[in-house]
Amino acid sequence: MLSNLEQKFSEYLDLFTQMDPIQAITLVVLFFAIWFLPSLLAIFFNRGHLGKIFLANIPAGLSWIAWVALLVWASTGKMSGKLAKKYGSASSSSEA
């Protein structure tokens, strides 16, 4: 089993070393852009929690569930504030 894993790893390593340097750099940049996509979205949509999202994003890339949850958290930042204002004012006016 281990030799099969080593063989697959060496195949991927050979593929990566045979790439053009521009292709390799592009692949690495795209990999990290996708990995840190929740952090990039948080810059625009949820700046208040950017630090927390960035720190949670580092290990979250290893879990699809956590990564998708971070995507939701990062992209709903401004929307949650607007919804809180809308429904918070509606509930306080109905109580009065």
Side-chain angles (χ1 to χ4, degrees):
M1 170 104 177
L2 187 58
S3 64
N4 189 19
L5 184 62
E6 289 174 351
Q7 182 182 6
K8 286 287 188 186
F9 181 73
S10 67
E11 288 174 8
Y12 287 126
L13 189 60
D14 289 340
L15 179 68
F16 192 71
T17 56
Q18 292 173 1
M19 281 185 169
D20 191 22
I22 301 295
Q23 288 176 332
I25 290 170
T26 304
L27 182 67
V28 169
V29 168
L30 284 174
F31 174 79
F32 282 112
I34 292 171
W35 187 292
F36 287 101
L37 183 61
S39 299
L40 295 173
L41 288 175
I43 292 171
F44 299 105
F45 297 115
N46 201 351
R47 195 169 289 234
H49 293 202
L50 176 61
K52 295 174 189 174
I53 292 171
F54 178 76
L55 288 176
N57 198 176
I58 295 169
L62 300 174
S63 166
W64 284 100
I65 295 170
W67 188 81
V68 170
L70 278 176
L71 272 176
V72 171
W73 182 20
S75 60
T76 59
K78 289 183 181 176
M79 184 174 36
S80 64
K82 289 179 184 177
L83 290 175
K85 286 181 183 178
K86 180 179 178 182
Y87 292 114
S89 63
S91 64
S92 64
S93 63
S94 65
E95 291 175 3

Short mmCIF file of all heavy atoms in Angstrom, two decimals, residues 22-63:
data_model
loop_
_atom_site.label_atom_id
_atom_site.label_comp_id
_atom_site.label_asym_id
_atom_site.label_seq_id
_atom_site.Cartn_x
_atom_site.Cartn_y
_atom_site.Cartn_z
N ILE A 22 6.33 29.31 -15.35
CA ILE A 22 5.15 30.17 -15.35
C ILE A 22 3.90 29.35 -15.00
O ILE A 22 3.05 29.79 -14.23
CB ILE A 22 4.97 30.87 -16.72
CG1 ILE A 22 6.18 31.71 -17.06
CG2 ILE A 22 3.68 31.67 -16.76
CD1 ILE A 22 6.39 32.88 -16.12
N GLN A 23 3.80 28.15 -15.55
CA GLN A 23 2.66 27.28 -15.25
C GLN A 23 2.66 26.88 -13.78
O GLN A 23 1.61 26.84 -13.14
CB GLN A 23 2.70 26.03 -16.11
CG GLN A 23 2.36 26.26 -17.56
CD GLN A 23 2.50 24.98 -18.37
OE1 GLN A 23 3.30 24.10 -18.03
NE2 GLN A 23 1.73 24.88 -19.44
N ALA A 24 3.84 26.57 -13.25
CA ALA A 24 3.94 26.17 -11.85
C ALA A 24 3.54 27.31 -10.93
O ALA A 24 2.79 27.11 -9.96
CB ALA A 24 5.35 25.70 -11.54
N ILE A 25 4.00 28.51 -11.22
CA ILE A 25 3.65 29.67 -10.39
C ILE A 25 2.16 29.95 -10.48
O ILE A 25 1.50 30.24 -9.48
CB ILE A 25 4.49 30.90 -10.81
CG1 ILE A 25 5.95 30.68 -10.41
CG2 ILE A 25 3.95 32.18 -10.20
CD1 ILE A 25 6.91 31.70 -10.98
N THR A 26 1.60 29.86 -11.68
CA THR A 26 0.17 30.07 -11.87
C THR A 26 -0.64 29.04 -11.09
O THR A 26 -1.64 29.39 -10.45
CB THR A 26 -0.19 30.00 -13.37
OG1 THR A 26 0.60 30.95 -14.08
CG2 THR A 26 -1.66 30.28 -13.59
N LEU A 27 -0.20 27.79 -11.12
CA LEU A 27 -0.90 26.74 -10.38
C LEU A 27 -0.85 27.00 -8.88
O LEU A 27 -1.87 26.86 -8.20
CB LEU A 27 -0.28 25.38 -10.70
CG LEU A 27 -0.92 24.17 -10.04
CD1 LEU A 27 -2.32 23.96 -10.59
CD2 LEU A 27 -0.07 22.94 -10.27
N VAL A 28 0.29 27.41 -8.37
CA VAL A 28 0.42 27.69 -6.94
C VAL A 28 -0.44 28.89 -6.55
O VAL A 28 -1.13 28.87 -5.51
CB VAL A 28 1.91 27.91 -6.56
CG1 VAL A 28 2.04 28.47 -5.16
CG2 VAL A 28 2.68 26.61 -6.70
N VAL A 29 -0.44 29.94 -7.35
CA VAL A 29 -1.25 31.13 -7.06
C VAL A 29 -2.74 30.78 -7.09
O VAL A 29 -3.50 31.19 -6.20
CB VAL A 29 -0.93 32.27 -8.05
CG1 VAL A 29 -1.94 33.38 -7.97
CG2 VAL A 29 0.47 32.80 -7.79
N LEU A 30 -3.18 30.01 -8.07
CA LEU A 30 -4.59 29.60 -8.13
C LEU A 30 -4.97 28.72 -6.95
O LEU A 30 -6.07 28.84 -6.39
CB LEU A 30 -4.87 28.87 -9.44
CG LEU A 30 -5.00 29.74 -10.67
CD1 LEU A 30 -5.13 28.89 -11.93
CD2 LEU A 30 -6.17 30.68 -10.55
N PHE A 31 -4.07 27.83 -6.54
CA PHE A 31 -4.32 26.97 -5.39
C PHE A 31 -4.56 27.81 -4.14
O PHE A 31 -5.54 27.61 -3.42
CB PHE A 31 -3.14 26.02 -5.18
CG PHE A 31 -3.25 25.19 -3.93
CD1 PHE A 31 -4.07 24.07 -3.91
CD2 PHE A 31 -2.56 25.55 -2.79
CE1 PHE A 31 -4.18 23.31 -2.75
CE2 PHE A 31 -2.66 24.80 -1.64
CZ PHE A 31 -3.47 23.67 -1.62
N PHE A 32 -3.68 28.77 -3.88
CA PHE A 32 -3.84 29.60 -2.69
C PHE A 32 -5.01 30.57 -2.81
O PHE A 32 -5.64 30.91 -1.80
CB PHE A 32 -2.54 30.34 -2.36
CG PHE A 32 -1.53 29.46 -1.68
CD1 PHE A 32 -0.36 29.10 -2.33
CD2 PHE A 32 -1.76 28.97 -0.42
CE1 PHE A 32 0.57 28.29 -1.72
CE2 PHE A 32 -0.84 28.15 0.21
CZ PHE A 32 0.33 27.80 -0.45
N ALA A 33 -5.33 31.02 -4.01
CA ALA A 33 -6.49 31.89 -4.19
C ALA A 33 -7.78 31.15 -3.86
O ALA A 33 -8.68 31.71 -3.22
CB ALA A 33 -6.53 32.42 -5.62
N ILE A 34 -7.86 29.88 -4.25
CA ILE A 34 -9.04 29.10 -3.93
C ILE A 34 -9.05 28.75 -2.44
O ILE A 34 -10.09 28.83 -1.78
CB ILE A 34 -9.11 27.83 -4.81
CG1 ILE A 34 -9.37 28.24 -6.25
CG2 ILE A 34 -10.17 26.86 -4.31
CD1 ILE A 34 -9.26 27.13 -7.25
N TRP A 35 -7.89 28.39 -1.89
CA TRP A 35 -7.80 28.04 -0.46
C TRP A 35 -8.25 29.21 0.41
O TRP A 35 -8.98 29.04 1.37
CB TRP A 35 -6.37 27.65 -0.12
CG TRP A 35 -6.18 27.11 1.27
CD1 TRP A 35 -6.30 27.80 2.44
CD2 TRP A 35 -5.83 25.79 1.63
NE1 TRP A 35 -6.03 26.98 3.50
CE2 TRP A 35 -5.74 25.73 3.03
CE3 TRP A 35 -5.56 24.64 0.90
CZ2 TRP A 35 -5.40 24.58 3.72
CZ3 TRP A 35 -5.22 23.49 1.60
CH2 TRP A 35 -5.16 23.47 2.98
N PHE A 36 -7.81 30.43 0.06
CA PHE A 36 -8.12 31.61 0.86
C PHE A 36 -9.26 32.43 0.28
O PHE A 36 -9.39 33.61 0.58
CB PHE A 36 -6.87 32.47 1.03
CG PHE A 36 -5.87 31.86 1.97
CD1 PHE A 36 -4.76 31.19 1.48
CD2 PHE A 36 -6.05 31.94 3.33
CE1 PHE A 36 -3.85 30.62 2.33
CE2 PHE A 36 -5.15 31.38 4.20
CZ PHE A 36 -4.04 30.70 3.71
N LEU A 37 -10.11 31.83 -0.53
CA LEU A 37 -11.26 32.52 -1.09
C LEU A 37 -12.18 33.10 -0.01
O LEU A 37 -12.63 34.25 -0.16
CB LEU A 37 -12.05 31.60 -2.02
CG LEU A 37 -13.24 32.21 -2.74
CD1 LEU A 37 -12.79 33.35 -3.64
CD2 LEU A 37 -13.96 31.16 -3.55
N PRO A 38 -12.45 32.41 1.09
CA PRO A 38 -13.27 33.04 2.13
C PRO A 38 -12.62 34.31 2.69
O PRO A 38 -13.31 35.30 2.94
CB PRO A 38 -13.37 31.96 3.22
CG PRO A 38 -13.22 30.68 2.48
CD PRO A 38 -12.24 30.98 1.39
N SER A 39 -11.32 34.32 2.84
CA SER A 39 -10.63 35.52 3.33
C SER A 39 -10.71 36.65 2.31
O SER A 39 -10.88 37.82 2.68
CB SER A 39 -9.16 35.21 3.64
OG SER A 39 -9.07 34.24 4.65
N LEU A 40 -10.59 36.30 1.04
CA LEU A 40 -10.70 37.33 0.00
C LEU A 40 -12.11 37.91 -0.05
O LEU A 40 -12.29 39.12 -0.25
CB LEU A 40 -10.32 36.75 -1.37
CG LEU A 40 -8.86 36.30 -1.51
CD1 LEU A 40 -8.65 35.58 -2.83
CD2 LEU A 40 -7.93 37.49 -1.40
N LEU A 41 -13.12 37.07 0.13
CA LEU A 41 -14.50 37.57 0.17
C LEU A 41 -14.75 38.42 1.40
O LEU A 41 -15.50 39.40 1.35
CB LEU A 41 -15.49 36.41 0.12
CG LEU A 41 -15.62 35.67 -1.20
CD1 LEU A 41 -16.53 34.47 -1.05
CD2 LEU A 41 -16.12 36.60 -2.28
N ALA A 42 -14.12 38.06 2.50
CA ALA A 42 -14.31 38.82 3.75
C ALA A 42 -13.76 40.23 3.62
O ALA A 42 -14.23 41.15 4.30
CB ALA A 42 -13.63 38.10 4.91
N ILE A 43 -12.77 40.45 2.77
CA ILE A 43 -12.24 41.80 2.55
C ILE A 43 -13.35 42.72 2.06
O ILE A 43 -13.44 43.89 2.46
CB ILE A 43 -11.08 41.77 1.54
CG1 ILE A 43 -9.88 41.06 2.15
CG2 ILE A 43 -10.69 43.17 1.10
CD1 ILE A 43 -8.75 40.79 1.17
N PHE A 44 -14.25 42.20 1.22
CA PHE A 44 -15.30 43.02 0.64
C PHE A 44 -16.61 42.98 1.42
O PHE A 44 -17.33 43.97 1.46
CB PHE A 44 -15.55 42.59 -0.81
CG PHE A 44 -14.34 42.73 -1.68
CD1 PHE A 44 -13.62 41.61 -2.06
CD2 PHE A 44 -13.91 43.97 -2.09
CE1 PHE A 44 -12.50 41.73 -2.87
CE2 PHE A 44 -12.80 44.10 -2.88
CZ PHE A 44 -12.09 42.98 -3.28
N PHE A 45 -16.94 41.83 2.00
CA PHE A 45 -18.27 41.67 2.58
C PHE A 45 -18.31 41.65 4.10
O PHE A 45 -19.36 41.91 4.68
CB PHE A 45 -18.92 40.38 2.06
CG PHE A 45 -19.17 40.39 0.59
CD1 PHE A 45 -18.51 39.50 -0.24
CD2 PHE A 45 -20.03 41.29 0.02
CE1 PHE A 45 -18.73 39.50 -1.60
CE2 PHE A 45 -20.26 41.30 -1.34
CZ PHE A 45 -19.60 40.41 -2.15
N ASN A 46 -17.23 41.27 4.76
CA ASN A 46 -17.27 41.09 6.21
C ASN A 46 -15.96 41.54 6.83
O ASN A 46 -15.27 40.77 7.49
CB ASN A 46 -17.56 39.62 6.54
CG ASN A 46 -18.10 39.43 7.92
OD1 ASN A 46 -18.12 40.36 8.71
ND2 ASN A 46 -18.54 38.23 8.21
N ARG A 47 -15.61 42.78 6.60
CA ARG A 47 -14.31 43.30 7.03
C ARG A 47 -14.15 43.26 8.54
O ARG A 47 -13.05 43.13 9.05
CB ARG A 47 -14.13 44.72 6.52
CG ARG A 47 -12.70 45.18 6.61
CD ARG A 47 -12.55 46.46 5.87
NE ARG A 47 -12.65 46.22 4.44
CZ ARG A 47 -11.74 46.59 3.58
NH1 ARG A 47 -10.70 47.25 3.98
NH2 ARG A 47 -11.89 46.35 2.31
N GLY A 48 -15.23 43.35 9.29
CA GLY A 48 -15.14 43.32 10.74
C GLY A 48 -14.62 42.00 11.29
O GLY A 48 -14.04 41.95 12.37
N HIS A 49 -14.85 40.93 10.57
CA HIS A 49 -14.42 39.60 11.02
C HIS A 49 -13.28 39.05 10.17
O HIS A 49 -13.03 37.84 10.21
CB HIS A 49 -15.59 38.64 10.99
CG HIS A 49 -16.64 38.96 11.99
ND1 HIS A 49 -17.54 38.04 12.45
CD2 HIS A 49 -16.96 40.10 12.64
CE1 HIS A 49 -18.35 38.59 13.31
NE2 HIS A 49 -18.02 39.86 13.43
N LEU A 50 -12.61 39.91 9.42
CA LEU A 50 -11.58 39.46 8.49
C LEU A 50 -10.47 38.69 9.20
O LEU A 50 -10.05 37.63 8.73
CB LEU A 50 -10.98 40.65 7.73
CG LEU A 50 -9.82 40.36 6.79
CD1 LEU A 50 -10.26 39.40 5.70
CD2 LEU A 50 -9.30 41.64 6.18
N GLY A 51 -10.00 39.17 10.34
CA GLY A 51 -8.92 38.49 11.05
C GLY A 51 -9.33 37.10 11.51
O GLY A 51 -8.57 36.13 11.38
N LYS A 52 -10.53 36.99 12.05
CA LYS A 52 -11.03 35.69 12.51
C LYS A 52 -11.22 34.73 11.35
O LYS A 52 -10.89 33.55 11.44
CB LYS A 52 -12.35 35.86 13.26
CG LYS A 52 -12.23 36.64 14.54
CD LYS A 52 -13.60 36.89 15.13
CE LYS A 52 -13.51 37.86 16.28
NZ LYS A 52 -14.82 38.24 16.79
N ILE A 53 -11.76 35.24 10.26
CA ILE A 53 -11.99 34.40 9.09
C ILE A 53 -10.65 33.94 8.51
O ILE A 53 -10.49 32.78 8.13
CB ILE A 53 -12.84 35.13 8.04
CG1 ILE A 53 -14.26 35.32 8.57
CG2 ILE A 53 -12.86 34.39 6.71
CD1 ILE A 53 -15.14 36.20 7.72
N PHE A 54 -9.67 34.84 8.48
CA PHE A 54 -8.36 34.47 7.94
C PHE A 54 -7.72 33.38 8.80
O PHE A 54 -7.19 32.40 8.27
CB PHE A 54 -7.45 35.68 7.86
CG PHE A 54 -6.07 35.35 7.36
CD1 PHE A 54 -5.85 35.11 6.01
CD2 PHE A 54 -4.99 35.25 8.23
CE1 PHE A 54 -4.59 34.79 5.54
CE2 PHE A 54 -3.73 34.94 7.77
CZ PHE A 54 -3.53 34.70 6.42
N LEU A 55 -7.74 33.55 10.12
CA LEU A 55 -7.14 32.54 10.99
C LEU A 55 -7.88 31.20 10.91
O LEU A 55 -7.25 30.14 10.94
CB LEU A 55 -7.11 33.03 12.43
CG LEU A 55 -6.10 34.13 12.72
CD1 LEU A 55 -6.23 34.60 14.16
CD2 LEU A 55 -4.69 33.66 12.44
N ALA A 56 -9.19 31.24 10.78
CA ALA A 56 -9.96 30.01 10.65
C ALA A 56 -9.78 29.38 9.27
O ALA A 56 -9.94 28.17 9.10
CB ALA A 56 -11.43 30.27 10.90
N ASN A 57 -9.41 30.19 8.30
CA ASN A 57 -9.26 29.73 6.93
C ASN A 57 -8.03 28.85 6.74
O ASN A 57 -8.01 27.98 5.86
CB ASN A 57 -9.19 30.92 5.99
CG ASN A 57 -9.45 30.59 4.55
OD1 ASN A 57 -9.49 31.47 3.72
ND2 ASN A 57 -9.66 29.35 4.23
N ILE A 58 -7.02 29.05 7.57
CA ILE A 58 -5.78 28.28 7.40
C ILE A 58 -6.04 26.78 7.56
O ILE A 58 -5.74 26.01 6.64
CB ILE A 58 -4.69 28.80 8.35
CG1 ILE A 58 -4.33 30.24 7.96
CG2 ILE A 58 -3.46 27.91 8.32
CD1 ILE A 58 -3.47 30.97 8.95
N PRO A 59 -6.63 26.31 8.67
CA PRO A 59 -6.90 24.87 8.74
C PRO A 59 -8.19 24.45 8.03
O PRO A 59 -8.37 23.28 7.73
CB PRO A 59 -7.01 24.60 10.24
CG PRO A 59 -7.51 25.88 10.80
CD PRO A 59 -6.88 26.96 9.95
N ALA A 60 -9.08 25.39 7.76
CA ALA A 60 -10.37 25.03 7.17
C ALA A 60 -10.25 24.52 5.74
O ALA A 60 -11.15 23.85 5.26
CB ALA A 60 -11.32 26.23 7.21
N GLY A 61 -9.17 24.83 5.08
CA GLY A 61 -8.98 24.33 3.73
C GLY A 61 -8.87 22.82 3.67
O GLY A 61 -9.05 22.22 2.61
N LEU A 62 -8.59 22.19 4.79
CA LEU A 62 -8.49 20.73 4.84
C LEU A 62 -9.85 20.07 4.97
O LEU A 62 -9.96 18.86 4.82
CB LEU A 62 -7.58 20.31 6.00
CG LEU A 62 -6.16 20.85 5.93
CD1 LEU A 62 -5.40 20.49 7.20
CD2 LEU A 62 -5.44 20.32 4.72
N SER A 63 -10.88 20.83 5.27
CA SER A 63 -12.23 20.29 5.44
C SER A 63 -13.19 21.07 4.55
O SER A 63 -13.33 22.29 4.69
CB SER A 63 -12.66 20.43 6.90
OG SER A 63 -14.04 20.23 7.02
#
